[in-house]
Amino acid sequence: MALKKKWIALPLGVVALLVLLYGAAGPYLAIRGIRHLVASGQTGELWRFVDFASLKDSLRPQLEQKVAAGVLARIGSNENPLTIGKVSALIAQPTLDLMASPRGLAVLLQGSALTRTTPAGTPNDPLRDARTAFVSPSRFTATVASAEGKPVVFEFRRDGLSWKLAALYLPD
């Protein structure tokens, strides 16, 4: 009887180990998928590796804060904060819609915003050299340097066994 239990436990243990390994490799597979889709111009398929709603939610306060700081720098702090907030949200919305879209993400990854220089004929691929780290069992970050050398953090989140880009943290 004990021998029979061992033969049942062994395949279950192997399956559990494979699921665990797949889960650990998930963010790397998502990064690879994003890189491949952007390089091949298949930006319409990025939804497989990017949660655009969460990405937009992570970018909204950052962009609105940057716009508000710019407005305050120009007009001073005498204006009503509510008005500045509304103006900031209104101005930031088109940029937010562009950045949190398949085309906008592709432009960010292919453009020069995340790369200082690229040799002629070589496509930009900032995620290739990203510093990666697990923040928790369900959060993973890939950090790249902007053209100014400041960190840009791509945050991936796990949903079941799949991982998706869910947040982007821009430099200050």
Side-chain angles (χ1 to χ4, degrees):
M1 186 77 166
L3 186 60
K4 192 173 190 180
K5 286 184 182 179
K6 285 182 184 179
W7 284 108
I8 292 173
L10 182 64
L12 291 176
V14 169
V15 168
L17 180 63
L18 290 175
V19 167
L20 182 65
L21 289 174
Y22 180 77
Y28 296 101
L29 295 173
I31 290 172
R32 183 176 175 269
I34 290 170
R35 290 174 55 212
H36 171 73
L37 290 173
V38 168
S40 66
Q42 298 175 332
T43 58
E45 293 295 312
L46 281 172
W47 61 267
R48 294 172 28 204
F49 303 105
V50 181
D51 180 350
F52 286 104
S54 293
L55 184 62
K56 188 180 247 187
D57 289 343
S58 78
L59 287 169
R60 179 175 285 112
Q62 296 176 73
L63 292 175
E64 289 177 1
Q65 189 272 332
K66 286 181 185 293
V67 170
V71 169
L72 284 172
R74 290 196 187 271
I75 65 170
S77 60
N78 296 335
E79 192 62 43
N80 181 349
L82 184 60
T83 303
I84 292 173
K86 287 180 180 178
V87 168
S88 299
L90 184 66
I91 293 172
Q93 190 61 43
T95 304
L96 180 63
D97 291 339
L98 178 63
M99 284 183 73
S101 70
R103 182 158 169 75
L105 186 59
V107 167
L108 177 69
L109 291 173
Q110 289 178 327
S112 60
L114 297 178
T115 308
R116 288 187 184 171
T117 58
T118 302
T122 306
N124 284 343
D125 187 3
L127 287 174
R128 180 186 67 229
D129 298 322
R131 287 177 304 150
T132 59
F134 278 93
V135 178
S136 73
S138 60
R139 284 183 45 219
F140 178 88
T141 60
T143 305
V144 300
S146 68
E148 295 82 31
K150 296 180 180 179
V152 177
V153 180
F154 294 80
E155 182 178 283
F156 293 80
R157 295 187 190 135
R158 184 177 56 82
D159 182 23
L161 288 179
S162 68
W163 289 80
K164 288 190 175 190
L165 175 62
L168 179 62
Y169 299 103
L170 304 172
D172 292 331

